């Protein structure tokens, strides 16, 4: 809340340079802000009495938006990448997919490793379990298991997360 929106009788006032002015009536505080050609901004409305500061509100909002934009720019969004294996995968195909898992983990993304069972392969779910355990063991030094291998419908799913998070 700024200027006339503040409804308290008296406020604890902080000056434009950050100096403590003390508890003053709201009219006096508004007059001081107007004399300096600045705004009276309620910084802590829940305090007794509320803490208000004399400042240029437009400049304050602009700097706050700049800080927020910078913080958003610097944050890393973790994506979930999926690599699908099959229960009876050939050695070369396995190594190609394993290379992709390693690449995704090193980029800082989580990896969903899944084994899709087709037809009667579902009766040999242990083959899929072995494939996922082999993946887990081979990338153990760069990842942690976020979710253990679990059968969901016709797929067995395991989620790996990078260690350096």
């Amino acid at each position: 809340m700024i200027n006339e929106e503040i409804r308290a009788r008296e406020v604890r006032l902080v000056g434009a340079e950050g100096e403590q002015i003390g508890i003053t009536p709201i009219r006096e505080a508004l007059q001081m802000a107007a004399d300096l050609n600045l705004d009276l901004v309620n910084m802590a409305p829940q305090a007794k009495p509320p803490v208000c500061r004399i400042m240029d509100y437009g400049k304050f909002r602009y700097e706050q938006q700049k800080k927020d934009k910078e913080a958003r720019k610097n944050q890393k969004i973790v994506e979930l990448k999926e690599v699908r294996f099959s229960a009876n995968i050939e050695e070369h195909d396995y190594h190609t997919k394993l290379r992709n898992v390693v690449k995704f983990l090193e980029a800082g993304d989580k990896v969903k490793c899944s084994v899709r069972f087709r037809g009667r392969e579902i009766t040999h779910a242990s083959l899929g379990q072995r494939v996922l355990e082999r993946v887990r063991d081979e990338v153990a030094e760069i990842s942690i298991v976020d979710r253990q291998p679990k059968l969901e419908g016709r797929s067995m799913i395991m989620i790996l997360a990078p260690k350096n998070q």
Side-chain angles (χ1 to χ4, degrees):
M1 292 190 290
I2 61 169
N3 297 333
E4 278 75 31
E5 296 173 4
I6 302 169
R7 293 282 170 233
R9 289 176 197 251
E10 51 185 27
V11 294
R12 182 175 302 276
L13 193 59
V14 178
E17 305 298 319
E19 71 278 2
Q20 294 286 334
I21 296 174
I23 297 174
T24 59
I26 190 71
R27 292 275 165 235
E28 214 174 289
L30 284 167
Q31 187 60 47
M32 289 172 74
D35 290 346
L36 294 171
N37 224 8
L38 296 172
D39 299 308
L40 185 66
V41 181
N42 196 346
M43 302 302 276
Q46 68 281 0
K48 297 285 184 219
V51 178
C52 293
R53 183 169 184 186
I54 297 174
M55 67 167 69
D56 184 352
Y57 187 64
K59 182 178 175 184
F60 172 73
R61 284 230 358 244
Y62 171 73
E63 288 173 354
Q64 199 67 38
Q65 286 172 344
K66 257 177 46 176
K67 281 183 199 171
D68 292 345
K69 186 177 179 183
E70 191 67 30
R72 277 195 305 275
K73 190 167 66 173
N74 290 336
Q75 76 183 13
K76 169 81 172 95
I77 294 143
V78 177
E79 290 186 38
L80 182 66
K81 305 281 189 170
E82 183 174 5
V83 179
R84 287 191 179 144
F85 295 87
S86 61
N88 50 357
I89 190 167
E90 291 296 322
E91 198 63 28
H92 183 266
D93 294 340
Y94 171 79
H95 286 294
T96 303
K97 290 177 184 266
L98 183 67
R99 236 186 346 264
N100 284 334
V101 169
V102 170
K103 181 176 74 176
F104 294 147
L105 287 169
E106 287 174 348
D109 296 324
K110 287 186 176 185
V111 180
K112 176 180 174 183
C113 299
S114 62
V115 176
R116 177 114 174 117
F117 297 104
R118 293 158 53 187
R120 294 182 185 154
E121 288 177 349
I122 196 76
T123 58
H124 302 289
S126 61
L127 293 175
Q129 178 92 22
R130 258 189 253 138
V131 171
L132 291 178
E133 286 173 355
R134 184 174 169 198
V135 171
R136 179 192 65 204
D137 294 341
E138 291 194 24
V139 295
E141 64 274 352
I142 62 169
S143 72
I144 55 172
V145 178
D146 209 27
R147 198 166 103 197
Q148 292 294 333
K150 183 179 174 189
L151 194 62
E152 292 180 1
R154 299 191 73 79
S155 298
M156 186 172 284
I157 296 170
M158 172 179 69
I159 298 178
L160 300 170
K163 252 188 187 167
N164 58 358
Q165 275 188 335

